[in-house]
Amino acid sequence: MSQASEPRDLRLTQLEKIYANGFTAVHPLDLTIPQGSFFALLGPSGCGKTTTLRMVAGLEVPTAGSITIGGTEITYEKPYRRPVNTVFQSYALFPHLSIADNVAFGLKRRGIKDTAKTVADMLELVELTAQASKRPQQLSGGQQQRVALARALINQPEVLLLDEPLGALDLKLRRAMQLELKRIQTEVGLTFVHVTHDQEEAMTMADTIAVMNAGRIEQLGSPADLYDNPATTFVANFLGQSNLIAGNVVGEDTLAGAPVVTVDMEGTIVSIPKERAHVTSGKGWVGIRPEKVLVAPAGEPIDAPGNHFTGGTIIDTSFIGVSTQYVLRTAWGQEISAFEQNTGARGVLAPGTAVDFTWRPEFAFLLDASQDATAGVDLGEE
Amino acid sequence: MRTRRWLPYALFAPAALWLLLFFVVPFYSLLANSLFDPTGDNLTGYDVTFHFGNFTHVLSKYGPHIWRSFWWATISTALCLVLGYVLAYTIAFKAGRWKNIVLVLVVAPFFTSFLIRTAAWKLILADHGWLVQTLQSLHVISSDGRLLATPVAAIAGLTYNFLPFAILPLYTSIEKLDRGLLEAAGDLYASPAKTFLRVTLPLTMPGIVGATLLTFIPSVGDYINAQLLGGTTDRVVGQDIESLFTTTGDYASAGALSVILLVVILVMTMFYVRKAGTEELL
């Protein structure tokens, strides 16, 4: 394969950042971000995601390791010589320049004289043509965000870095901009690296998500992979919610032709698909997402084969509209949550109702019991 | 609540009175002076005869001094801006926790009188002082060269005395500068030099304008530095006004010179502020 046709992947190799005060922001990290992908670095504040991004942008000098784009090393390259542009969290628009001049800034610095046409096209892409001659402070937050995006995109960087670009917008605008960003990324086909602490945002937009925690990547995969098969309690709790129930691995078996791990969970033997079992012996956390837990009044049949539990009691009922969220106490005294779509098939169960519950074995996962069952809880929304 | 209409006027009154007593009245009297009949004296009194000849008279007699005042003020202002900008930038970006201490040091000279500090420069620049001898031995100046009583000394004195007035407004505007904008410029292919030229400099323009006005205006009218540090042959207009008022008693010429100085400064200031694009400051 010739050099030119080789994919221009962004590759981080053993990249590490230790600050002068001794704090390790990023532990040696290996990551390959394929050319043209929409990649999200997801994690709570202080997890090292922004530091990683800033090292790629050249705004932070790595302590060790290397950064390459398509084989070209840029680890210690000056920021203004990298084929990389950033959309900053604060937008960092130049207040003394018009919107058009802000957008043209990068092109002009690279000595491109005639920028009018390119700038006009870019402003059209982000639907700001009418604002071209205004100053940034005359624009709304959403418009400023799009200027920041246009100002970076116009340079056609090999990698576009987005540092919590939607953080300052209100919820509705944020949802609209998420779809907009995704549309633009598909249209221009550049590699986007998006840093966010909002798991919903990461799942909506990214092809691949790396979940970071305490300077390390906890897990890497597609949004569906991470959600369905979290590898750690942190990922299980940070991406959505999980019920984690203590159990002991009993052995291995096959269920409907697929290999499973069997676990003694509070006296009931449950089975978990082998590929979702992250421990195969000793103690473990049996994980199940709340929407996968099916609830019915005690004694009534539940439409799911599998792990069946009796002796539960509803202790809290929240009617959300499209769904109802229950908290129920199990026979062994643990509180777990169950989300139910309001299909109308049955009325809402009042607190105090005795219930049975179940879940399909293929939806459960098994995590290492040495991990903190509450890791990543309440970190998603800041 | 009932609006107290008189309150704004009451609050405005002391300032208005102050300006009336100490600006409008003296300014009127200065203007009147400049139009005195030059033949008057302290015994017979002076008449305002709208003698515009006073202006042409002082322009022809003191023209070179006026020119020198503006020229020296321009040089010292330029030096103040360069030195002040570098220092203010360093304080704002590099001083870290020493920031406040360094700022106190900047204004520390004010604890000593302006006159005494200028007089102290006579010692530093003296013919047998360490500075002159060092420069002589390094052949920067000739073996009989001197610093005291030269334009260099006077301009150095002006620069020294007005430097804090440049540093403070420059510091204020550099300190406010959003560091994120400098990162953004770097991210958008601007080298450090280009970032300074395209982002830092335009955004700190208000500080530059403030520093210029605060150093240039007092420098033009200053006569202490020329008197104590400059040579006897290089007179500035401030010295002329001083001696015309206090020694010669030629109030007409002194008034005319003062008015000329004032008008030229005013016109230059307005032109400069407009050129710098910071009208909103006035």
Side-chain angles (χ1 to χ4, degrees), chain A residues 86-109:
Chain A
T86 311
V87 178
F88 293 91
Q89 185 171 17
S90 60
Y91 311 145
L93 301 178
F94 302 119
H96 60 297
L97 299 179
S98 70
I99 299 310
D101 287 341
N102 262 281
V103 174
F105 193 92
L107 295 181
K108 290 211 173 125
R109 296 295 84 72

Side-chain angles (χ1 to χ4, degrees), chain B residues 112-156:
Chain B
T112 316
S113 142
F114 176 75
L115 261 178
I116 293 175
R117 281 183 284 131
T118 312
W121 270 74
K122 291 182 81 146
L123 295 178
I124 299 173
L125 302 177
D127 290 344
H128 299 292
W130 61 270
L131 185 61
V132 169
Q133 294 197 333
T134 310
L135 291 177
Q136 281 172 347
S137 64
L138 291 172
H139 301 288
V140 178
I141 55 177
S142 62
S143 55
D144 60 346
R146 52 190 313 215
L147 287 175
L148 198 62
T150 63
V152 171
I155 292 167

Side-chain angles (χ1 to χ4, degrees), chain A residues 283-368:
Chain A
K283 288 177 186 293
W285 294 113
V286 176
I288 186 76
R289 297 287 186 183
E291 74 279 6
K292 304 291 195 311
V293 178
L294 305 174
V295 184
E300 280 184 26
I302 308 180
D303 175 32
N307 314 314
H308 193 92
F309 301 91
T310 55
T313 315
I314 301 281
I315 58 170
D316 188 57
T317 303
S318 310
F319 178 74
I320 307 292
V322 293
S323 66
T324 305
Q325 304 192 352
Y326 295 111
V327 177
L328 58 93
R329 180 169 291 126
T330 62
W332 59 92
Q334 187 176 355
E335 287 176 11
I336 67 171
S337 25
F339 300 164
E340 188 174 79
Q341 286 293 309
N342 288 332
T343 55
R346 174 171 40 68
V348 170
L349 301 169
T353 311
V355 290
D356 294 347
F357 60 95
T358 183
W359 61 76
R360 288 175 178 271
E362 63 265 35
F363 293 140
F365 46 87
L366 186 66
L367 305 174
D368 186 346

Side-chain angles (χ1 to χ4, degrees), chain A residues 68-91:
Chain A
T68 57
I69 295 178
T72 314
E73 168 137 13
I74 57 160
T75 317
Y76 301 106
E77 189 66 283
K78 296 268 185 255
Y80 55 92
R81 296 210 187 100
R82 297 182 185 219
V84 167
N85 290 109
T86 311
V87 178
F88 293 91
Q89 185 171 17
S90 60
Y91 311 145

